[in-house]
Amino acid sequence: MNQNISLAELANTNEIYIDTTAIQSEGFRELMIQNAKAMKDEGNAIKIHRAVLNAFAKIQESGDVCEGTVAEDRLNMLKALEEGGVIQYIGNQLELRCVEQMYLEQLVTYRNKKKLSLISNSYELVHDALLMNQIGSFFGKEITTFRLSDEGELIQVTKQGVTKESSTQTDNSDNTSSQTEKLLKMFGLR
């Protein structure tokens, strides 16, 4: 069964968490271009753990020029999206556990209060989140999981596998002198 749903539509019904692997993917820019303005207009924000900032900082410091450039680009995008009100940071940036553990903790903590969705390109994290839906001691609403394609499409993943796709289309943005302003305009937040 195919059902198209955009990130903005999903945010109207679910609290959305997005992890490092999805932000790092090529599709993150396209996803935000298509959905950031609608999310801001609706007063919705994506939840990102502060430890993601640490992960990107470590990638920048790794010495790999290609990955460092991508990490810097994503940090700039996150800054613009936070300024535009589309991203809300959660958690403690000084936490020593891995990002995946912290996301799972958030999902366990809040699934009894809200409908939650996780966007991740990490097979292990998606698998663990889906496992929570099957464990009887984890009370609460079912967690929906998505992976992000390089084209910016949300692809729902269930315990049976991929089930639904949501198309987003690319859009061109205006150039400005400030990188943050350029990104805010690209995401439709200015």
Side-chain angles (χ1 to χ4, degrees):
M1 175 178 137
N2 282 341
Q3 176 187 357
N4 291 333
I5 187 167
S6 72
L7 181 67
E9 292 169 330
L10 185 63
N12 285 330
T13 59
N14 291 24
E15 188 167 282
I16 300 172
Y17 294 84
I18 188 166
D19 85 326
T20 311
T21 60
I23 295 168
Q24 206 169 9
S25 77
E26 292 297 319
F28 182 71
R29 177 187 306 270
E30 300 308 319
L31 182 72
M32 292 294 99
I33 288 171
Q34 291 302 308
N35 293 279
K37 181 166 179 13
M39 289 187 65
K40 180 180 180 178
D41 292 348
E42 292 291 325
N44 295 322
I46 300 171
K47 309 289 190 227
I48 297 178
H49 201 285
R50 282 185 174 87
V52 168
L53 300 173
N54 293 342
F56 282 122
K58 285 181 184 177
I59 292 170
Q60 278 186 298
E61 296 167 0
S62 72
D64 185 318
V65 175
C66 184
E67 286 187 19
T69 303
V70 170
E72 182 179 356
D73 180 56
R74 295 313 186 267
L75 285 170
N76 288 330
M77 282 184 201
L78 293 175
K79 179 180 177 184
L81 290 166
E82 178 188 22
E83 186 176 311
V86 178
I87 287 178
Q88 179 182 20
Y89 287 108
I90 58 171
N92 182 353
Q93 191 170 355
L94 302 176
E95 178 67 53
L96 297 177
R97 292 178 293 153
C98 72
V99 176
E100 291 82 5
Q101 287 176 319
M102 291 182 271
Y103 273 105
L104 290 171
E105 182 179 292
Q106 291 290 319
L107 294 173
V108 168
T109 302
Y110 294 109
R111 72 177 282 200
N112 62 345
K113 299 175 186 173
K114 306 170 187 171
K115 292 172 79 176
L116 305 177
S117 292
L118 172 68
I119 302 171
S120 174
N121 286 1
S122 165
Y123 170 80
E124 292 83 7
L125 181 56
V126 167
H127 173 51
D128 290 348
L130 288 172
L131 186 60
M132 284 185 217
N133 293 333
Q134 298 174 334
I135 297 175
S137 63
F138 288 165
F139 300 108
K141 297 172 175 48
E142 186 171 332
I143 300 167
T144 55
T145 56
F146 297 86
R147 77 174 180 83
L148 183 58
S149 76
D150 285 344
E151 294 77 33
E153 297 175 334
L154 291 179
I155 303 168
Q156 187 171 0
V157 181
T158 65
K159 66 180 181 174
Q160 289 83 22
V162 175
T163 58
K164 302 174 192 169
E165 289 190 11
S166 171
S167 290
T168 57
Q169 298 158 351
T170 60
D171 196 4
N172 292 331
S173 62
D174 298 331
N175 290 326
T176 64
S177 59
S178 162
Q179 187 169 16
T180 299
E181 282 299 315
K182 176 183 173 185
L183 290 167
L184 284 167
K185 279 190 163 199
M186 179 176 68
F187 296 137
L189 300 173
R190 289 264 196 250

